[in-house]
Amino acid sequence: MSQTGKHPERLSVSLTFDRVINYAFQQNAIPVIKELFICNDTTPRKNLTVRVTTQPDFADPLEFRLQALASKEEHRVSVLDLKLSPSFLAQLNEKVSGLLRVEVLQEGKEGTVEGVLECVASATETISLLAHNEWCGLVTLPEILAAFVLPNDPAIMPLLGRAAEILGVNTGRSALNGYQDKSRKRAWEQIAAIYKAVAEVGLRYISPPASFENTGQKVRFPSEILARRFGTCLDLSLLFAACCEQAGLHPLLLLHQGHMYAGCWLEDRTLPEPAIDDLQQVRKFSEDALTAFEATLVTESDPGNLKDAERLARPHLETQLPFRMALDIRRARMGRIHPLPIPGYPPIAGLTAGPAGIATRDSSMGSRDFIEPAEQLPRKSTKPVTRIDQWKNKLLDLSLRNRLLNFKPTKSTIPILSSSPEQLEDELAAEKELSFQPKPKVMGGR
């Protein structure tokens, strides 16, 4: 968020916006400017024009009019429909710094040329424009990572073709039929076959940038991963998610501090929200309802099978490292986060063994026993959901987009230091007038 300072006896502008955007924002119609405030601390004004422009031209100019703004009145626009340029953002191969400018214009004073507009208030802020294949990290809209899961990438179907062969050899049925069998065991077998198909390619691991979960990173799409045989934990998790989604399964991406791994539901369900940061919820389902597995194991000389990858991921679910996010791709799709357009990589004609030294591997994918949902889970309530229930659910946003749940300090944040925060909260709730003093130097650490 960025906010200009307010001065007495003047018109001021402040805005809340995403400081980092990419091509995925444009493709999914994500609004960049969340809120705009215009505060008039001076005499009444009439016939105002608000103009929003960008440098470079990564969005179309936007204008709207305000007929009047009384003294001490504040005008608020909750979301501005700034049209991002698809051609500009799609062609970016490196990060670019841009400017976002908001101007409030008014016709000049009497005696000036008629129709000439005078700028009476403005705000100019910097904004980072990422490469078309660059994820912005968790600095804004965590769900946008789902746009980088590409189930229609040309590399996916050859992988699924090989997975179907492996599935047929191990189970006698080669159909990748998602949850049609209503069997956790069958869903797990499909994921296990996908794991073996990816493991046979002979991929190699490459380290991600430090703190990529906060700063983001460039993403290798499936065709590039198979062409160059390299991938980070993020790249490989996205690859598995794309394969599972194309097979009719519901994948997840699990992100800890400094590491990402993959997951997939074993039954036809989703998380309550696209993105959550409660690891306990993931642990609750990890025994039977979903599988969590280490995607980078496929880069080892002995990648094993899905059970080995699950075993390697189990410590992640018990770690004390901060858990950043579980992203449910199916739920994100329901929230209208769609895959990016397929990049222009050449189709993958067929899969071969990996680099020299990688031997042809056994196609045995192992097995697991499950208690099926009908035997374990209680029946869902048959009570019909009323319209009032639906309204109540929509009133409360429990996703990471809710700043009350996912607060991050910004330049406009004013921290309040108090030895009795509970008393301060009571006084604020009672709307008592308070005065604040500067922070004592002894608390400055110097």
Side-chain angles (χ1 to χ4, degrees):
M1 173 179 173
S2 175
Q3 182 172 342
T4 59
K6 294 182 179 180
H7 303 282
E9 301 302 322
R10 63 164 290 184
L11 198 69
S12 60
V13 179
S14 63
L15 62 154
T16 303
F17 66 102
D18 288 316
R19 283 195 168 272
V20 181
I21 63 172
N22 56 21
Y23 184 37
F25 274 68
Q26 187 279 325
Q27 287 294 301
N28 289 281
I30 305 299
V32 177
I33 301 179
K34 314 300 183 185
E35 290 180 322
L36 172 66
F37 293 90
I38 302 174
C39 185
N40 185 21
D41 291 325
T42 181
T43 57
R45 293 180 182 269
K46 295 182 179 180
N47 300 322
L48 298 175
T49 298
V50 180
R51 178 183 297 164
V52 182
T53 56
T54 64
Q55 290 182 0
D57 297 329
F58 62 87
D60 296 336
L62 173 66
E63 283 190 1
F64 63 92
R65 291 184 62 83
L66 290 178
Q67 291 191 350
L69 198 61
S71 178
K72 305 301 180 182
E73 181 183 359
E74 186 178 78
H75 181 79
R76 174 179 177 271
V77 181
S78 58
V79 174
L80 276 183
D81 188 19
L82 189 65
K83 301 292 186 185
L84 298 175
S85 168
S87 58
F88 183 94
L89 294 173
Q91 293 173 7
L92 282 182
N93 292 316
E94 296 294 340
K95 179 179 176 180
V96 172
S97 181
L99 295 177
L100 181 64
R101 182 172 177 80
V102 180
E103 297 174 291
V104 181
L105 309 171
Q106 186 177 28
E107 288 192 10
K109 299 178 182 179
E110 294 184 7
T112 60
V113 179
E114 184 178 356
V116 174
L117 298 178
E118 174 190 1
C119 180
V120 293
S122 67
T124 302
E125 299 290 345
T126 58
I127 184 169
S128 294
L129 314 172
L130 301 184
H132 71 280
N133 61 337
E134 189 170 0
W135 175 48
C136 54
L138 299 179
V139 295
T140 181
L141 192 62
E143 298 94 319
I144 203 65
L145 180 58
F148 292 87
V149 176
L150 306 184
N152 294 315
D153 186 285
I156 298 301
M157 288 311 297
L159 281 173
L160 293 185
R162 176 57 183 150
E165 294 174 0
I166 295 171
L167 192 62
V169 169
N170 284 267
T171 69
R173 293 175 58 206
S174 61
L176 295 169
N177 59 346
Y179 302 107
Q180 292 182 21
D181 287 359
K182 295 182 172 53
S183 165
R184 291 174 174 174
K185 182 177 179 61
R186 182 61 183 178
W188 186 90
E189 289 171 345
Q190 294 175 70
I191 302 164
I194 290 171
Y195 178 89
K196 290 296 293 186
V198 174
E200 287 182 354
V201 177
L203 302 178
R204 293 163 290 182
Y205 177 74
I206 187 170
S207 296
S211 302
F212 74 93
E213 72 276 12
N214 295 320
T215 59
Q217 71 168 75
K218 285 188 176 181
V219 172
R220 294 171 180 85
F221 297 129
S223 290
E224 184 180 1
I225 294 174
L226 266 65
R228 301 185 180 180
R229 308 290 175 105
F230 275 107
T232 65
C233 58
L234 172 62
D235 301 329
L236 297 170
S237 298
L238 292 171
L239 173 62
F240 277 113
C243 290
C244 290
E245 185 178 17
Q246 184 62 265
L249 301 164
H250 303 338
L252 298 98
L253 299 171
L254 304 169
L255 179 63
H256 284 271
Q257 179 176 306
H259 185 64
M260 176 171 283
Y261 52 109
C264 191
W265 288 104
L266 300 176
E267 55 189 46
D268 189 2
R269 69 186 302 166
T270 65
L271 291 173
E273 299 291 336
I276 64 170
D277 57 4
D278 182 2
L279 183 58
Q280 187 59 37
Q281 284 199 47
V282 179
R283 291 191 187 117
K284 182 174 67 174
F285 295 116
S286 62
E287 288 300 322
D288 286 296
L290 67 82
T291 175
F293 57 96
E294 178 54 64
T296 61
L297 184 59
V298 296
T299 65
E300 300 291 336
S301 58
D302 181 10
N305 54 35
L306 181 59
K307 288 183 68 174
D308 298 312
E310 288 175 328
R311 192 177 304 112
L312 200 59
R314 199 165 295 133
H316 299 325
L317 299 175
E318 306 298 332
T319 184
Q320 298 302 313
L321 289 175
F323 182 68
R324 300 304 189 194
M325 175 179 66
L327 177 61
D328 190 309
I329 304 303
R330 173 61 179 165
R331 178 61 71 170
R333 300 287 187 244
M334 294 165 65
R336 294 183 293 183
I337 303 294
H338 305 297
L340 287 172
I342 301 300
Y345 295 117
I348 304 298
L351 298 179
T352 61
I358 303 289
T360 302
R361 297 167 181 138
D362 181 13
S363 62
S364 174
M365 63 185 199
S367 64
R368 273 184 60 185
D369 294 325
F370 292 91
I371 300 175
E372 295 301 339
E375 304 171 36
Q376 176 179 330
L377 299 180
R379 291 184 179 181
K380 294 182 179 179
S381 171
T382 56
K383 180 181 177 182
V385 178
T386 66
R387 186 172 297 178
I388 292 179
D389 291 330
Q390 295 175 355
W391 290 341
K392 286 163 115 180
N393 290 336
K394 290 181 179 179
L395 285 174
L396 186 60
D397 181 7
L398 296 177
S399 72
L400 295 183
R401 287 175 290 187
N402 187 339
R403 294 182 183 272
L404 294 177
L405 300 177
N406 187 38
F407 176 76
K408 291 184 175 65
T410 65
K411 288 184 178 179
S412 64
T413 302
I414 303 176
I416 299 175
L417 305 177
S418 172
S419 59
S420 303
E422 67 282 354
Q423 180 182 352
L424 175 63
E425 192 275 335
D426 291 340
E427 292 177 347
L428 289 171
E431 298 185 356
K432 290 186 178 180
E433 184 174 336
L434 303 173
S435 62
F436 294 92
Q437 301 296 326
K439 182 175 69 173
K441 291 183 179 180
V442 71
M443 299 182 68
R446 294 181 181 178

